[in-house]
Amino acid sequence: EAGVAQSPRYKIIEKRQSVAFWCNPISGHATLYWYQQILGQGPKLLIQFQNNGVVDDSQLPKDRFSAERLKGVDSTLKIQPAKLEDSAVYLCASSSYDKTSGANVLTFGAGSRLTVL
Amino acid sequence: AQSVTQPDIHITVSEGASLELRCNYSYGATPYLFWYVQSPGQGLQLLLKYFSGDTLVQGIKGFEAEFKRSQSSFNLRKPSVHWSDAAEYFCAVGPPSGGSYIPTFGRGTSLIVHP
């Protein structure tokens, strides 16, 4: 099966500009996640969608970050305005239900690397 | 709240040597546990997972991990490291809640392999 697709792979912007990242999950995966991975740290969850509804966005900085998944498939993550500390890799993941364990198993995309100057 | 500690930022081993990467977690019950690997410029790939049952789990690429409840640990091991194993390794923990989980990741351990 095709993996999780993300674009763009790299983006360089100046602070206060805006940027958007796109994610296409694995076909049939109902749950989609956006993670932020700052250099030298582990990924941190920003938002989780179940179909087109938000399950958890408690760590999303809502004053500048927004995300949507209008038709329950593709998702976009937007940052406006960007700050220097937003420089990171933004990882998208989608999950399927593991019948054996009763849990969801995440598959990650390659990520979108953002540099804010 | 759940948390994960990977005490080693970097680990250096010689090719062919054995490897053990440490992971300790904090959670009130038995969590779901995972190890992921991230090669440069790539996303995270699942190596193995523990949900219940046998505490020694086998994963891909010859990796295994052992869940030790008494030590709140889930260390990753490989008997003989290959140069292609050089990468960043992340331990993650997730609560078994309602059939879904949101993994919390450790900061990662960078594996360097010397020829």
Side-chain angles (χ1 to χ4, degrees), chain A residues 45-49 54-62 67, chain B residues 102:
Chain A
L45 181 72
L46 292 176
I47 189 167
Q48 179 190 3
F49 291 95
V54 175
V55 175
D56 186 336
D57 64 355
S58 57
Q59 297 192 79
L60 187 73
K62 299 181 185 62
Chain B
I102 301 174

Side-chain angles (χ1 to χ4, degrees), chain A residues 4-95:
Chain A
V4 177
Q6 290 189 246
S7 68
R9 288 295 310 275
Y10 305 93
K11 188 75 175 179
I12 301 174
I13 62 173
E14 295 188 349
K15 60 182 179 183
R16 291 187 288 274
Q17 287 186 323
S18 63
V19 63
F21 302 112
W22 172 84
C23 173
N24 179 243
I26 292 174
S27 178
H29 282 194
T31 309
L32 185 147
Y33 314 75
W34 282 102
Y35 281 84
Q36 179 192 56
Q37 185 179 18
I38 294 173
L39 185 65
Q41 300 181 19
K44 182 186 82 171
L45 181 72
L46 292 176
I47 189 167
Q48 179 190 3
F49 291 95
Q50 180 74 19
N51 296 309
N52 61 350
V54 175
V55 175
D56 186 336
D57 64 355
S58 57
Q59 297 192 79
L60 187 73
K62 299 181 185 62
D63 57 332
R64 298 182 299 105
F65 286 66
S66 65
E68 61 183 11
R69 195 184 182 199
L70 292 177
K71 297 184 179 179
V73 181
D74 293 4
S75 177
T76 56
L77 175 70
K78 297 179 181 178
I79 308 173
Q80 182 180 11
K83 292 185 175 182
L84 297 177
E85 59 260 35
D86 297 332
S87 293
V89 176
Y90 292 87
L91 295 165
C92 180
S94 65
S95 67

Side-chain angles (χ1 to χ4, degrees), chain A residues 9 33 35 37 40-43 45 48 56 91 97-98 101-106 108-110, chain B residues 32 34 36 38 41-44 46 49 51 90 98-108:
Chain A
R9 288 295 310 275
Y33 314 75
Y35 281 84
Q37 185 179 18
Q41 300 181 19
L45 181 72
Q48 179 190 3
D56 186 336
L91 295 165
Y97 184 71
D98 184 296
S101 64
N104 288 310
V105 181
L106 273 64
F108 284 84
Chain B
Y32 289 171
F34 313 85
Y36 286 85
Q38 186 177 36
Q42 301 298 313
L44 280 74
L46 181 67
K49 57 186 183 290
F51 292 143
F90 294 93
S100 67
Y101 67 82
I102 301 174
T104 298
F105 288 85
R107 66 178 177 182

Side-chain angles (χ1 to χ4, degrees), chain A residues 101 103, chain B residues 25 29-35 46-58 65-69 73-74 92-96 101:
Chain A
S101 64
Chain B
Y25 68 88
T30 301
Y32 289 171
L33 295 160
F34 313 85
W35 274 99
L46 181 67
L47 283 176
L48 48 79
K49 57 186 183 290
Y50 172 79
F51 292 143
S52 65
D54 192 349
T55 57
L56 183 64
V57 294
Q58 302 298 322
E66 186 172 12
F67 169 58
K68 293 186 176 180
R69 184 191 308 274
S73 69
F74 189 58
V93 60
Y101 67 82

Side-chain angles (χ1 to χ4, degrees), chain B residues 71-92:
Chain B
Q71 299 176 18
S72 296
S73 69
F74 189 58
N75 294 349
L76 181 71
R77 300 194 295 250
K78 187 170 185 178
S80 178
V81 171
H82 188 263
W83 64 267
S84 60
D85 294 324
E88 192 84 14
Y89 290 80
F90 294 93
C91 181

